[in-house]
């Protein structure tokens, strides 16, 4: 399995429009963060988790030529806004793209991208297949995926475990039962927005506390805002098994 971080930033990305803080002015490529998304390549298949506003740019940067399915964590725009650009893969692969998400999320996609789902669609719009999932394991092209139900303030969000890899973004609460589904993962990715508490995201200290409880071999933090600090500075403050993710980082399991 190979996992590539397509984006590791929060909803505004980094740098933030108009901001002059040291993080937004940083020349370190690791401080340039597009909206969160990952590519998971396993058994010859390529799965995308979330199609945010930077989806097109991410596909071009990583030279991705094939996508076999898309998984959505939840319906917020920084995770869905780039769905229209999935049509490039419709054209190249001659398939309707399978989309996997909670029914609530699929309903929201049908509302926000209504032109995709009309009875008489305009030629060239994205072609998709909707696959509702619940909080139980499901298969995509023979790959078993286990949803992890977490809370983003009061909004249910799905993380996903694939083999020994678990990916969770936009969370500030994970129940004991859901943590049991994560334990044993060799790599866990978890969101850490900033150092100060936040209403719907783990802070840095909260994320580290959860990761210490889960005890993976290696952990990475994502969904990072400019308020967390410079990559090179923050990473020195982390426990030895925790690192900051950055755009373009590739992991092999």
């Amino acid at each position: 399995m190979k996992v590539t971080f397509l984006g590791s930033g929060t909803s505004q990305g980094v740098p933030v429009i108009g901001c002059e803080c040291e993080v937004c002015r940083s020349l370190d490529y690791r401080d340039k963060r597009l909206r969160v998304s990952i590519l998971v390549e396993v058994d010859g298949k390529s799965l995308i988790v979330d199609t945010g506003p930077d989806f097109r740019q991410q596909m071009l940067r990583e030279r991705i030529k094939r996508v076999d399915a898309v998984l959505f964590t939840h319906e917020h725009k920084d995770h869905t806004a780039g769905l229209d650009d999935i049509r490039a893969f419709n054209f190249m692969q001659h398939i309707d793209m399978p989309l996997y998400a909670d029914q609530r999320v699929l309903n929201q996609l049908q509302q926000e991208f209504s032109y995709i789902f009309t009875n008489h669609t305009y030629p060239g719009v994205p072609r998709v297949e909707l696959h509702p999932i619940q909080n139980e394991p499901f298969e995509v092209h023979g790959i078993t995926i286990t949803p992890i139900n977490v809370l983003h303030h009061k909004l249910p969000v799905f993380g996903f475990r694939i083999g020994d890899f678990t990916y969770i973004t936009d969370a500030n609460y994970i129940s004991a039962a859901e943590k049991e589904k994560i334990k044993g993962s060799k790599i866990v990715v978890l969101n850490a927005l900033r150092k100060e508490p936040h209403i719907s995201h783990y802070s840095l200290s909260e994320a580290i506390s959860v990761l210490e409880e889960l005890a993976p071999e290696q952990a990475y933090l994502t969904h990072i805002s400019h308020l967390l600090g410079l990559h090179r500075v923050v990473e020195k403050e982390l426990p030895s098994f925790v690192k900051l993710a950055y755009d373009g980082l590739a992991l092999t399991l």
Side-chain angles (χ1 to χ4, degrees), residues 35-169:
R35 270 60 73 94
V36 287
S37 178
I38 58 171
L39 166 69
V40 180
E41 299 172 274
V42 57
D43 295 336
K45 300 296 182 181
S46 296
L47 311 180
I48 296 287
V49 180
D50 291 334
T51 59
D54 307 310
F55 178 70
R56 176 180 177 275
Q57 183 179 351
Q58 292 162 341
M59 297 299 98
L60 292 171
R61 187 194 70 209
E62 298 299 329
R63 300 182 180 181
I64 295 171
K65 303 247 179 17
R66 183 175 186 87
V67 173
D68 293 293
V70 178
L71 316 178
F72 286 104
T73 58
H74 64 299
E75 64 267 43
H76 285 168
K77 277 291 201 178
D78 56 320
H79 296 258
T80 65
L83 178 60
D84 185 84
D85 284 312
I86 209 71
R87 57 198 167 114
F89 298 99
N90 295 146
F91 302 152
M92 288 190 294
Q93 297 169 212
H94 306 289
I95 64 165
D96 293 357
M97 184 61 63
L99 308 182
Y100 293 81
D102 182 270
Q103 185 63 59
R104 182 196 77 244
V105 178
L106 296 179
N107 291 344
Q108 186 71 16
L109 291 176
Q110 291 177 81
Q111 176 180 329
E112 294 191 4
F113 296 91
S114 58
Y115 61 92
I116 297 177
F117 301 97
T118 59
N119 291 330
H120 303 286
T121 56
Y122 186 84
V125 301
R127 302 194 319 274
V128 301
E129 297 175 351
L130 301 183
H131 297 270
I133 60 174
Q134 298 178 336
N135 191 20
E136 55 189 31
F138 61 99
E139 286 198 357
V140 178
H141 297 298
I143 303 164
T144 300
I145 301 171
T146 301
I148 311 294
N149 191 34
V150 304
L151 287 179
H152 181 32
H153 187 38
K154 297 181 180 180
L155 180 71
V157 170
F158 275 147
F160 298 107
R161 178 170 180 170
I162 305 174
D164 289 327
F165 173 80
T166 296
Y167 178 78
I168 297 171
T169 182

Side-chain angles (χ1 to χ4, degrees), residues 2-14:
K2 180 181 178 182
V3 177
T4 304
F5 287 86
L6 304 174
S8 59
T10 188
S11 58
Q12 295 186 84
V14 183

Side-chain angles (χ1 to χ4, degrees), residues 226-237:
H226 64 152
L227 299 175
L228 185 64
L230 293 166
H231 185 107
R232 62 176 173 80
V233 174
V234 175
E235 192 154 80
K236 293 177 182 177
E237 304 170 354

